Amino acid sequence: MVTRLVLVLGDQLSRGLSALGKAERGRDVVVMAEVAEETGYVPHHPKKIAFVLSAMRHFAEELRDEGWQVAYTKLDDKDAPGSIPEAILAAAQTHGASEVLATQPGEWRLRAVLQEMPLKMTLLSDDRFLCSAEEFDAWATGRKELRMEFFYREMRRKTGLMMEGDQPAGGKWNFDHDNRKRATTDMFRARPARFREDAITQDVLSLVARRFGNNFGKLEAFGLAVTRGQALKAMDHFIAHLLPEFGDTQDAMLQGDRFLHHSLLSPYLNVGLLGPLELCERVEKAWAAGDVPINAAEGFIRQIIGWREYVRGIYFREGPEYTSRNALEHSRPLPDVYWGGNTQMTCMAHAVAQTREEAYAHHIQRLMVTGNFGLLTGIDPHALHEWYLAVYFDAFEWVEAPNTIGMSQYADGGIIASKPYVSSGAYINKMSDYCSNCAYKVKVKTGPDACPFNTLYWHFLDRHRERFKGNHRMGMIYRTWDKMDADHKRDVLATAEHFLERLDRGDAV
Ligand code: FAD
Ligand code: DLZ
Ligand code: SF4
């Protein structure tokens, strides 16, 4: 029997991966490769690189323990291949193989490359998701608007999660009305699970420090799960200690707490150490046992079977050009503040500092602080896309791009967001304790002390009036703007212009 190669990528670390399912243990060779092209297509945060490489090495060990033959190349090996195709070709030569089994990569870039390989490629669909591309297309075709909420209901019906017959448990599909309270510093909070670094991780950490020490991001205090066993522990820890209050503090931001009741499970889901369905079934069980309130359980399950599956459907439906969309024609270069440049804005300083240290910021920080700032100031959405893809430990294009290009920057012209996610300082003030400690004044509307979000918000709406004036969800906002005193409006716009000039000059804003 001729040996076949079985490709396992760094975000395909699942024992149930379709390519492994089709392979034969005694016959086939698993190919896993640490390669410069994958570690360098954006300047990834060192913690993200270390996480992926350590999880890959642990996964390879586990496969070997189970009797698989694994051809694994490390980044620092002599003659290490520089890219995934090179790794495949080198392994094909070594093992005399001419056929490759692979699960479709989660990125257009690698899909295109694999399709061009001069070998027999069997590309299997990635069934670690609940909704296939075909199923998503069938749902989306013919709809005027692709509303996540309706997609989510389909996924609830399909999985039967928190369903009573064909009706949602508790009589409602969505309990967000009970969620999203302002966090207070005295709220009880447990910490997310952290793990000790073993010898494999320590080796990877030294490699990453040597090779990627100049990338934006701190490597010390790693602490992430790198095996399925650890990821399962992180999941259990979250469900027992954090999930009960997940809904309440979902949108809150606190200077003294970077994680609140968020799960930090996204990296483990995205590389395949955890499955979305097993996680949601555990959450459902905790709710059914009375350990978790319905608003928390439903809200969490919605993020996974709703948002996560929905954005993947959009990514593959919209095609490889999606990341180049720029519906609002924004072109400002990414300012230094995103790379830790000096700023007086406490909210931006916090979001960026925690990103640098943890490779993590939670959803509202990504959407309503760094995302909101990017949209209001008119930063090139592709530059922001590359930033988000680089700096977060859970960033893979299929999930990052729809969130950035679509949800956060409205660059897809409104496929994901029915109106742009913009806000003045009032929203950040309501949901956080940042503003009380800021050089800018959140209640001030014009002049040098005014919170930049207050003036940029109106500047954005004013300059995009033609596009948004007919949006039925924005009519009220434009009416409010129109009713304002003309002198005041002029001061608002002039303050915003002055801020943008300072930003363009590279001043510390
Ligand atoms: P929790 O708050 O605990 O949520 C639970 C889980 O729900 C997450 O682990 C995640 O798997 C899922 N989830 C929640 N919201 C979303 C969403 N909007 N899209 C997809 N899944 C979601 N998520 C990524 O996994 N990778 C990214 O690269 C990424 N980039 C983003 C960029 C921007 C501009 C924005 C606004 C959001 C982005 N998100 C991304 C979505 C979300 O911010 C993260 O999934 C979440 O912060 C991960 O932290 P957590 O595990 O503590 O999440
Ligand atoms: C993110 C990442 C990194 C940093 N390094 C590797 C690597 O060396 N080898 C590998 O197989 N995968 C890596 N990955 C994950 C890939 O970039 C990911 O599989 C593609 O982006 C497709 O989602
Ligand atoms: Fe951010 Fe404005 Fe609040 Fe300062 S006042 S923290 S800039 S929202």
Side-chain angles (χ1 to χ4, degrees), residues 413-428:
I415 297 172
I416 294 186
S418 54
K419 75 177 184 51
Y421 277 96
V422 284
S423 80
S424 68
Y427 174 84
I428 296 174

Side-chain angles (χ1 to χ4, degrees), residues 50-51 54-55 58-59 198 201 222 224-228 230 268 273:
F51 165 63
S54 178
H58 281 92
F59 191 74
D198 65 4
T201 301
F222 178 71
L224 296 171
V226 288
T227 63
R228 173 157 166 83
Q230 289 178 337
Y268 314 139
L273 295 178

Side-chain angles (χ1 to χ4, degrees), residues 355-504:
T355 299
R356 183 201 281 275
E357 280 172 35
E358 315 282 356
Y360 177 80
H362 72 66
H363 188 66
I364 293 302
Q365 294 175 302
R366 297 186 206 194
L367 186 65
M368 299 312 293
V369 179
T370 47
N372 191 13
F373 187 75
L375 184 53
L376 293 181
T377 54
I379 296 170
D380 171 6
H382 194 78
L384 276 163
H385 152 66
E386 292 194 326
W387 183 78
Y388 281 103
L389 189 58
V391 301
Y392 290 114
F393 61 18
D394 53 18
F396 297 87
E397 194 174 276
W398 65 266
V399 53
E400 175 279 327
N403 271 297
T404 304
I405 296 288
M407 187 189 301
S408 162
Q409 297 304 302
Y410 202 85
D412 65 4
I415 297 172
I416 294 186
S418 54
K419 75 177 184 51
Y421 277 96
V422 284
S423 80
S424 68
Y427 174 84
I428 296 174
N429 189 36
K430 183 171 150 225
M431 298 317 297
S432 78
D433 64 355
Y434 293 149
C435 302
S436 55
N437 190 21
C438 184
Y440 294 104
K441 304 281 168 267
V442 73
K443 304 270 185 214
V444 177
K445 311 287 186 209
T446 59
D449 288 343
C451 163
F453 284 99
N454 290 346
T455 58
L456 292 167
Y457 174 72
W458 292 117
H459 191 273
F460 170 89
L461 291 168
D462 191 61
R463 72 178 189 268
H464 289 300
R465 188 180 188 110
E466 274 315 300
R467 174 175 284 270
F468 294 122
K469 69 177 181 202
N471 183 317
H472 68 279
R473 297 186 63 201
M474 298 175 76
M476 262 280 272
I477 306 171
Y478 279 107
R479 281 195 290 282
T480 306
W481 176 235
D482 291 343
K483 274 192 224 143
M484 283 184 205
D485 173 74
D487 286 347
H488 177 69
K489 279 163 66 173
R490 207 185 44 241
D491 285 351
V492 167
L493 296 180
T495 309
E497 285 291 342
H498 182 60
F499 181 88
L500 291 171
E501 280 162 23
R502 287 170 54 218
L503 195 67
D504 290 343

